[in-house]
Amino acid sequence: MAQKFRIVIVGGGVAGLALATRLGKTVGKSGRAEITLVDKSFAHVWKPMLHCFAAGTAANENDRISFMSQASRHHFDFWPGEISGMDRKARTITLAPVIDPNGETILEERSLEYDAVILSIGSRANDFGTPGVAEHCMFIDNLVDANGFNDRFRMELLKAFAYHRELDIAIVGGGATGTQLAAELHKALGLAALYSFGEKPPALKITLLEAGPRILPAFPEKVSQAAMKQLEAIGVTVQTSAMVSGADENGFMLKDGSRVPATLRVWAAGVKAPDVTTKFGGMKLSRSGQLEVRPTLQVMDDDNVFAMGDCAFIAEKPVAPTAQAARQQAHHLARHLPAWMDGRPLPPFVFNNKGAVVALGDYNGWGTFPGGTVFGGGWLHGLSARLVHLMLYRQHQFELYGPVRGMISCLVDWLDVFVRPAVRLD
């Protein structure tokens, strides 16, 4: 019996899980290929929602998709692990040991063989080598990071309630992640106050630091100005042209010599690929560590290695590292990899820009169409942008769950508000 074609997908983010699910329904179900998804976590979340997990306003298990459950329903395998290297000559990837919080090794270092490997390992914030950031700041690049931040946030909030003191939080990075996190943390405090200990809610001081001249630089300037006005209206201090020169356990130092004190320090600035890309056998990388790929999404010097999503850089025609682009790349490969397995050439990926949307909690939201037209702003108009953001999330759920389970998921979310607190408290 001929060996099945072995496809290994590394990273279960927006692109990786969508690709595994779609290929599982075709070449996996038919028995043509053996598909394995690898991720260091056991559950998937929609990356544009990470700030909600960090703030605790998204704690419903329904907002996480179990990799094991998804694999069992869609004809692919799942293995927990984090890629630590690749031998392209032997066509194997190496997975680092899995270690529990107590330091016990659960799984030793392992190797997986492949005929095609698709790297979808995402990106992380870029600290640009700023002194003290790695040691004293928290990141929210993935679900593990977001949950880690939320644990700290809840404990510091408990102290602030008990000792009647202000809680200082500083966020570096005025892109979508930083601005949305600032608004969501303010929303979380308001919700937590509903379940307080009979005490007056503590003061929450949030400072958003942006090195550039305005926040949300990927959006038109009028959206940046409106978002800044909205953040300031809910009590967030926004500092633009604020270049951070260092961080310590008490806050941030700025290049102008001033300091921003903060009990909790979050770094959400810049984008770079995970450092592990340097251990993939000398593949060509961009300045930010992304894997350079051809328009077919194959790396420059290996037809059997693909990269998509935030970790990929299409040298011929770069695409912004967004969930929208990652999803389209996954759909492209899901459509054409089966024919490529039979020896047919891959067509180039073409990005179709459908615009962008940013939602600041329940306070406001804006969207842009590809031509630059802006919609949203103001409570009622902002509602339309927030609904678009929600619809994109539901679209993602329906794609992975299917129509029936997708509808059930929506119903469970609706019923959940009558049972669970609106913010994570434990």
Side-chain angles (χ1 to χ4, degrees), residues 3-4 19 29 55 70 93 101 120 154 237 273 332 405 417:
Q3 179 178 278
K4 294 180 181 180
L19 179 60
K29 185 176 182 179
Q70 189 75 2
I93 65 167
S120 181
R154 285 183 293 109
T237 300
H332 176 81
R405 292 180 69 216
V417 302

Side-chain angles (χ1 to χ4, degrees), residues 82-84 121-127 272-280 285 288-289:
E82 186 171 11
I83 188 170
S84 60
I121 53 179
S123 62
R124 52 166 295 183
N126 191 349
D127 64 12
K272 74 171 186 176
D275 295 336
V276 73
T277 56
T278 61
K279 301 177 182 179
F280 291 163
L285 305 178
S288 59

Side-chain angles (χ1 to χ4, degrees), residues 260-302:
V260 177
T263 304
L264 293 179
R265 301 158 299 279
V266 183
W267 191 275
V271 176
K272 74 171 186 176
D275 295 336
V276 73
T277 56
T278 61
K279 301 177 182 179
F280 291 163
M283 288 191 281
K284 192 174 182 182
L285 305 178
S286 71
R287 291 176 59 186
S288 59
Q290 295 166 295
L291 296 158
E292 286 202 15
V293 298
R294 291 168 268 171
T296 57
L297 303 181
Q298 295 162 298
V299 299
M300 291 300 186
D301 56 353
D302 195 325

Side-chain angles (χ1 to χ4, degrees), residues 292-300 306-307 313-319 329 332-333 336 346-351:
E292 286 202 15
V293 298
R294 291 168 268 171
T296 57
L297 303 181
Q298 295 162 298
V299 299
M300 291 300 186
F306 298 77
F313 177 76
I314 305 176
E316 191 172 303
K317 194 173 182 181
V319 176
Q329 288 169 356
H332 176 81
L333 289 181
H336 298 293
L346 283 165
F349 166 72
V350 179
F351 176 58

Side-chain angles (χ1 to χ4, degrees), residues 213-268:
R214 62 186 179 93
I215 62 172
L216 297 176
F219 286 79
E221 188 168 354
K222 63 180 179 180
V223 172
S224 300
Q225 293 174 349
M228 184 170 175
K229 185 177 179 181
Q230 179 65 67
L231 289 173
E232 290 175 339
I234 62 174
V236 176
T237 300
V238 181
Q239 292 183 226
T240 55
S241 301
M243 185 72 71
V244 174
S245 60
D248 59 25
E249 65 274 15
N250 297 313
F252 291 105
M253 292 79 76
L254 304 185
K255 278 199 171 180
D256 63 7
S258 62
R259 283 187 61 91
V260 177
T263 304
L264 293 179
R265 301 158 299 279
V266 183
W267 191 275

Side-chain angles (χ1 to χ4, degrees), residues 176-195:
T177 299
T179 54
Q180 291 181 137
L181 177 61
E184 206 68 26
L185 288 172
H186 186 275
K187 172 185 172 182
L189 176 64
L191 293 172
L194 300 175
Y195 310 97

Side-chain angles (χ1 to χ4, degrees), residues 78-160:
F78 167 71
W79 271 108
E82 186 171 11
I83 188 170
S84 60
M86 179 187 298
D87 184 336
R88 290 192 284 136
K89 187 175 181 181
R91 290 191 182 177
T92 62
I93 65 167
T94 303
L95 302 183
V98 175
I99 301 173
D100 74 6
N102 297 320
E104 180 184 350
T105 299
I106 305 301
L107 296 176
E108 301 286 351
E109 182 178 271
R110 296 148 291 146
S111 292
L112 291 178
E113 297 179 333
Y114 68 83
D115 295 304
V117 60
I118 298 97
L119 300 167
S120 181
I121 53 179
S123 62
R124 52 166 295 183
N126 191 349
D127 64 12
F128 306 103
T130 307
V133 170
E135 298 83 2
H136 301 291
C137 294
M138 304 188 76
F139 299 81
I140 55 169
D141 298 323
N142 50 56
L143 181 59
V144 175
D145 289 347
N147 284 337
F149 173 82
N150 183 254
D151 288 341
R152 281 286 310 279
F153 173 61
R154 285 183 293 109
M155 293 305 101
E156 293 298 335
L157 198 57
L158 178 60
K159 292 179 187 177

